Amino acid sequence: MEIASWNVNSVKARLSAITTWLDEAKPDIVCLQETKTVDAGFPLEAFEERGYNVAVHGQKSYNGVALLSKYPFEEINARLPGDEDDPQARYLEAVIAGQNGPVRVASIYLPNGNPTQNPDGEPGHHPKYAYKLAWMERLRVHTARLLKFEEPLILAGDYNVIPTKDDVYDAALWADNALFLPQTHAAFNALKWLGLTSAYEQVDGRPHQYTYWDFQGGAWPKNHGIRIDHLLLSGQAADQLKAVRIDSHVRGRERPSDHVPIIGQFEL
DNA sequence: ATGTCGCGTGAAACGCGA
């Protein structure tokens, strides 16, 4: 079973890029982020005609997550618990009926968190960075509950976290960025220390393999990338992980997203 | 190079978020 994660930066603008890749890669499950549409505007047919069940959780203009699955959904939960008033569509979780039993998969669009400093120079964090850290803590608390099911769990998405200096083309340029600050690393580690394994690090782990290249400044031709899209796995999922790949070639195509798909291959 | 995108508004060019 192949499970992919891809921040597509608008599902409508990227529909042709997505279907081209689906027809080549034929993943079983895909977690999409930054779909940027309300659910009524989601192009369901393009995916249904390729044999995918589709679950969506979107909003107007920004954010938005979705799940595509060749296997049936047994249960679907939108929204990350911990703040009932949070209007941002960044979390969609489903239990999927795999061939060897259920698999729980979540599509995650973790907040970017920039800017980090208050604009008035007052001490403390900008509300955008505070929201990121609070969201990461909500994810940690929710994940602790999910791990009690002791089932294959795959938390896949755009984490907006650069795990180490070897996951960015020039760490010094990112030192003060919300994707790389010590508190961001601390929150990411607190999540992983619940007992999650990062799929890429388990089976590959080469430095300087990126999943995102900015649209600005010729980042793609210069390979000025960062690795911020991750598959975090419970032990039951990690035990079945065979391979991981990053389909970086799609970044060089017509009207690309700024992110590329990361795909885990599992015996599930 | 202050070098790019997509979205919504509203009818072109701008503000926002990334």
Side-chain angles (χ1 to χ4, degrees):
Chain A
M1 177 187 272
E2 289 202 345
I3 304 179
S5 179
W6 193 7
N7 177 324
V8 291
N9 191 349
S10 170
V11 70
K12 291 185 207 170
R14 238 53 88 181
L15 191 55
S16 153
I18 298 169
T19 55
T20 298
W21 177 77
L22 287 178
D23 291 343
E24 293 165 358
K26 302 192 190 313
D28 299 286
I29 297 170
V30 185
C31 303
L32 298 174
Q33 299 91 36
E34 273 207 276
T35 52
K36 292 189 171 182
T37 178
V38 293
D39 294 350
F42 197 97
L44 292 175
E45 308 73 23
F47 305 111
E48 288 173 345
E49 71 191 18
R50 287 173 167 79
Y52 291 101
N53 300 292
V54 184
V56 295
H57 176 49
Q59 67 178 88
K60 192 170 161 183
S61 304
Y62 304 119
N63 308 317
V65 281
L67 287 163
L68 315 178
S69 174
K70 296 229 166 155
Y71 299 96
F73 293 119
E74 290 182 341
E75 181 189 325
I76 297 170
N77 301 304
R79 302 177 187 283
L80 184 63
D83 182 358
E84 296 302 310
D85 298 326
D86 185 353
Q88 301 193 31
R90 295 179 175 275
Y91 185 86
L92 182 62
E93 171 194 315
V95 179
I96 291 167
Q99 282 176 328
N100 303 319
V103 182
R104 191 178 297 262
V105 179
S107 182
I108 289 171
Y109 179 41
L110 206 145
N112 175 293
N114 285 304
T116 59
Q117 291 299 312
N118 280 327
D120 53 11
E122 289 294 311
H125 291 310
H126 191 284
K128 295 209 180 215
Y129 191 56
Y131 175 68
K132 176 180 191 142
L133 293 176
W135 205 95
M136 293 180 83
E137 174 60 10
R138 286 165 62 195
L139 180 61
R140 190 191 64 79
V141 169
H142 182 58
T143 300
R145 290 199 196 100
L146 295 182
L147 285 170
K148 292 184 177 153
F149 291 119
E150 300 192 338
E151 65 193 359
L153 170 69
I154 294 140
L155 303 176
D158 174 3
Y159 279 76
N160 272 311
V161 174
I162 302 166
T164 75
K165 64 175 175 50
D166 290 329
D167 299 307
V168 50
Y169 64 97
D170 184 347
L173 291 178
W174 289 77
D176 299 327
N177 192 284
L179 281 63
F180 199 73
L181 280 176
Q183 278 171 281
T184 303
H185 287 144
F188 191 56
N189 286 332
L191 174 65
K192 289 204 285 188
W193 288 337
L194 293 172
L196 299 173
T197 300
S198 181
Y200 177 82
E201 289 156 39
Q202 176 174 313
V203 298
D204 189 323
R206 283 171 296 155
H208 302 291
Q209 298 298 303
Y210 308 132
T211 63
Y212 168 93
W213 295 259
D214 203 291
F215 286 126
Q216 301 185 64
W220 166 247
K222 292 187 229 169
N223 197 27
H224 286 180
I226 54 180
R227 188 169 67 86
I228 57 174
D229 299 88
H230 308 293
L231 309 181
L232 298 190
L233 314 177
S234 69
Q236 292 80 2
D239 284 347
Q240 304 302 321
L241 178 67
K242 299 304 164 193
V244 173
R245 70 172 201 276
I246 299 169
D247 277 356
S248 47
H249 60 279
V250 305
R251 184 64 178 79
R253 292 182 172 171
E254 287 295 302
R255 288 192 82 197
S257 170
D258 40 7
H259 296 248
V260 297
I262 175 169
I263 306 97
Q265 205 179 94
F266 297 87
E267 297 280 338
L268 283 171

